[in-house]
Amino acid sequence: ADAALRGDEFEYAVSGCRGAPYGTCRATVFGVAASGMSVAVHVDDFRPHVFFPAEDMPGDRVVQKLAAAIGARAEHLAWEHVRAAHFFGWEPSEDDPTRVREHRFVKVFFPSLYLFRKAAGVSDLRPVEGAIDPVTQFLDRTRLKACGWVTVSAPRYRAAGEFSTHTDLEVECSTEALASTTPECDSVPPLVVLSYDIECISGTGAFPDPDNAADEVVFIGACVCRFGADPSEWRRYMFCTGACDPVEGVDVRAYATEREMLRAYRDFVVLDVDPDVSLGYNTQNFDDWYLWKRAELLGVHTWKYSSRNVWEACRMQERDMGSTQTGPMLMRRVLRQAVARGLDVPQHGQLG
């Protein structure tokens, strides 16, 4: 499949795409090489896990009961016996009261996130660490830092026609091939940074509502740069509806309709820029959400495919992060973009 398809061509291709096998678990590390080339590292042997107590019955029996509970075949679940102590409280060992007591567990590995999440909810078997996010498990197993330089030993390079992401380079490896670099390598990579803002109009005079047909997005301003680059190298863009006079130092792109502008902006961000970091002011709670709602209203079906994974559809999540201390605080964000998390200035201050 051609990862650079745009507009109608991409929409037609994705309508018949089945993508990877449903539910298949694959860990992908996105990053940037020192040269500025974007890289995707596909780790083929990582599987999320859950622990289950195995002191009252044999381990194979635990796995059999678990497989029946989640609708899986026991032979498809890899597992091993481990001994570990409870995290909370002090429980002395029966042999030596100065040492903590260890219990017998079965550590079960799952071939898909779907089965992992189902297993974490089998309360009868008393799952342990089922609430730990697979990304956290991955970082713990590989000992990688969430942000830092990584080396890949003996990578297997994918041919251009085999790419499943929008990056410049794709490689495959095992978890054992990944390693964080030494502390001496502390330079910041040349990340591609996209900052943006939108402007809307209101057909009623009230605050713009994306569900109102007349409350259109009429302007999207974007600035693209490499981290650490001189401001003279920054690139500035303006997407707008209707006619617009030239603006010095700005690439002005005008479109007849809002729908055409949104389709073009999606292709610009995903295919032309492929940002490592996106940032703005209240972009998660307003700009991203407003653009998402307008794309849904106008039938811009390619909009949800804004992930770095070519055929992966994103989704909008809304969560109430409020408390008795902060009061109501609704947080919205686009999931599965596989791009370095956008820095939203107001929320960074509220939640940090």
Side-chain angles (χ1 to χ4, degrees), residues 74 97 99 131 148 172 224 245 256 273 290 294:
R99 301 182 62 182
E172 300 175 356
V224 181
D245 292 335
V273 179
Y290 203 98
R294 295 300 296 180

Side-chain angles (χ1 to χ4, degrees), residues 30-299:
F30 289 95
V32 181
S35 63
M37 179 180 292
S38 58
V39 182
V41 180
H42 302 293
V43 185
D44 50 25
D45 64 343
F46 171 74
R47 299 292 181 268
H49 65 265
V50 179
F51 294 93
F52 296 91
E55 294 185 310
D56 299 333
M57 70 177 77
D60 57 350
R61 179 58 180 156
V62 174
V63 175
Q64 289 173 3
K65 293 188 68 173
L66 174 65
I70 63 177
R73 299 176 63 176
E75 57 266 30
H76 292 167
L77 303 178
W79 60 279
E80 62 185 15
H81 279 119
V82 297
R83 299 193 65 84
H86 291 305
F87 186 78
F88 293 105
W90 173 261
E91 191 177 7
S93 169
E94 295 178 351
D95 300 327
D96 183 356
T98 64
R99 301 182 62 182
V100 66
R101 180 182 178 183
E102 292 186 340
H103 297 267
R104 184 173 177 173
F105 292 88
V106 171
K107 185 178 183 181
V108 185
F109 301 89
F110 299 92
S112 71
L113 293 179
Y114 173 75
L115 292 178
F116 163 76
R117 290 170 181 140
K118 287 193 69 175
V122 182
S123 58
D124 292 346
L125 295 177
R126 296 175 292 159
V128 180
E129 294 193 0
I132 296 182
D133 185 82
V135 173
T136 303
Q137 292 187 10
F138 176 81
L139 293 175
D140 178 68
R141 178 177 172 182
T142 59
R143 294 293 186 261
L144 296 182
K145 299 176 182 177
C147 292
W149 289 97
V150 176
T151 57
V152 183
S153 303
R156 300 183 298 276
Y157 293 90
R158 284 188 177 182
E162 300 173 345
F163 278 21
S164 61
T165 73
H166 293 291
T167 55
D168 300 322
L169 178 67
E170 292 191 25
V171 300
E172 300 175 356
C173 71
S174 65
T175 52
E176 301 302 322
L178 296 172
S180 291
T181 56
T182 59
E184 287 75 17
C185 185
D186 59 357
S187 60
V188 178
L191 302 170
V192 176
V193 181
L194 167 70
S195 57
Y196 59 101
D197 187 33
I198 70 172
E199 298 297 337
C200 316
I201 59 173
S202 172
T204 63
F207 192 81
D209 181 346
D211 292 324
N212 292 335
D215 293 3
E216 299 181 3
V217 177
V218 295
F219 169 91
I220 305 175
C223 180
V224 181
C225 68
R226 290 274 184 185
F227 185 86
D230 187 272
S232 62
E233 301 177 16
W234 296 1
R235 293 168 288 159
R236 297 169 175 83
Y237 302 86
M238 188 175 82
F239 292 74
C240 62
T241 57
C244 181
D245 292 335
V247 179
E248 184 178 357
V250 179
D251 183 346
V252 178
R253 304 185 182 187
Y255 301 87
T257 66
E258 179 188 15
R259 186 174 188 273
E260 292 178 21
M261 180 183 70
L262 293 180
R263 285 164 62 97
Y265 184 72
R266 177 267 174 196
D267 289 347
F268 165 77
V269 173
V270 174
L271 303 179
D272 299 334
V273 179
D274 185 27
D276 301 297
V277 179
S278 62
L279 58 88
Y281 191 90
N282 202 29
T283 48
Q284 287 185 350
N285 251 5
F286 183 75
D287 299 59
D288 285 349
W289 167 76
Y290 203 98
L291 290 169
W292 184 279
K293 298 288 285 185
R294 295 300 296 180
E296 283 186 334
L297 182 69
L298 299 171

